[in-house]
Amino acid sequence: MKNVIIIGGGIIGLCSAYYLAKEGAKVTVIDKSDMLDGCSYGNAGMIVPSHIIPMAQPGVIHQGIKWMFNAKSPFYIKPALSIDLLSWLIQFYKNSNQEHVNKSMAPLRDLSFLSKELYQDFARSINEFRYQEKGLLMLYSTEKVGEEEIKIGKIAEKMGVEVGFLDQQEVKELEKNTNVDALGAVHYKSDAHLSPNHFIAFLKAELNEMGVKMTSNCSIIDFNVSEGKIKELLTNHGNFKADEFVIAAGSWSVEIAKKLGVKLYILPGKGYSFNVENLLLKPTIPAILCEGKVAVTPLGDVVRFGGTLEITNNQDTKINIKRLQGIVEKVNQFYPDLKVDLPETKKVWHGFRPCTPSGMPIIEKSKKIQNLTIAAGHAMMGLSLAPASGKLVSELIMGEKTSLDITEFRSS
């Protein structure tokens, strides 16, 4: 029986634990937090096979520079005298080309569709987490953005994603529950959504039944490494020995890997979300409001709104009110009958999405440390890609043939 320690109790770490335990491994998950909050809890809950184009793509730098000067824009890079930031930006610039996009689309599509299949498996056994397949509306309000979204939609369609192209009236006919002020939409029918909080609770209960140990509030002090292998993990909760180790700690993976002499190019992208309850008229189909990159997800009695990507550091916990206002304004523009108010800051969730300069997640066995596997850098698609990522981690550790080709998910 393989003894595996997973560092990181977010959804990537928990899914890795699930598939490893299923294969008979003895698994311990450790996390520096109480595992009650994090990116896995506050995200939009979208499962998006439609998202086949990585963040690093042609035109994104030009658009990003324009957004930098708009306080309410969905994207911002916090200036800093940092070698890590400079290195990340240089690599992002190098990756923002069509060749990179072309070689990334099929792997992202395959990873997404595998994840969706695995979510369907979970939901068939017991759907305690409100899994629904209603698709995703990419709503746009201007012709320019509409042309861009339709172009992407047609690429996705050729890649096997089920897509509908809707005009203004067709949007209103599909989303009957509330007024939608949009010029049109691309409807990704292959997409799905669920309640992140309920899924995490379900997954933890499953892991508990499978005998997976959870150690919270556990800080990594160091590693004992000998002959290219981790012999022992030193923490404030004592020392841990195992056959295999996994780093799946989101944007904190960088500093953990650094203790092993492993370089990861990941920066935190801060995002916000908030829930609105008791809406008389509310959307029933998840949407992204394209001009503001705002995510809208119906989750039972509440609707979750989320957005912004601030490339920053893990200590930057301040909520930027201007960017929050930008989210609210876009919501009220596209859904004029909702009349959403600016939420109190204490009711706003924020978290750090781990962003790689390629826009691709890292799923690999370390070249430097024999018994180390890395699963990090999923940015805003952590929940969407988690089951497939966890299954691949399990296959790598158990020495099985991977379900997918993971060449494009290597760190370098």
Side-chain angles (χ1 to χ4, degrees), residues 32-43:
K32 69 182 188 64
S33 74
D34 55 13
M35 289 197 252
L36 298 176
D37 190 15
C39 276
S40 307
Y41 291 84
N43 70 52

Side-chain angles (χ1 to χ4, degrees), residues 3-7 26-30 233 240-247:
N3 184 357
V4 184
I5 287 176
I6 297 173
I7 302 167
K26 181 185 175 187
V27 185
T28 302
V29 177
I30 69 173
L233 170 62
F240 293 82
K241 291 184 177 181
D243 304 309
E244 297 281 344
F245 294 80
V246 179
I247 295 179

Side-chain angles (χ1 to χ4, degrees), residues 264-285:
L264 296 179
Y265 291 94
I266 296 174
L267 286 180
K270 187 169 63 173
Y272 309 131
S273 74
F274 59 93
N275 294 342
V276 178
E277 301 173 6
N278 305 319
L279 287 169
L280 293 175
L281 301 170
K282 59 191 176 194
T284 57
I285 301 170

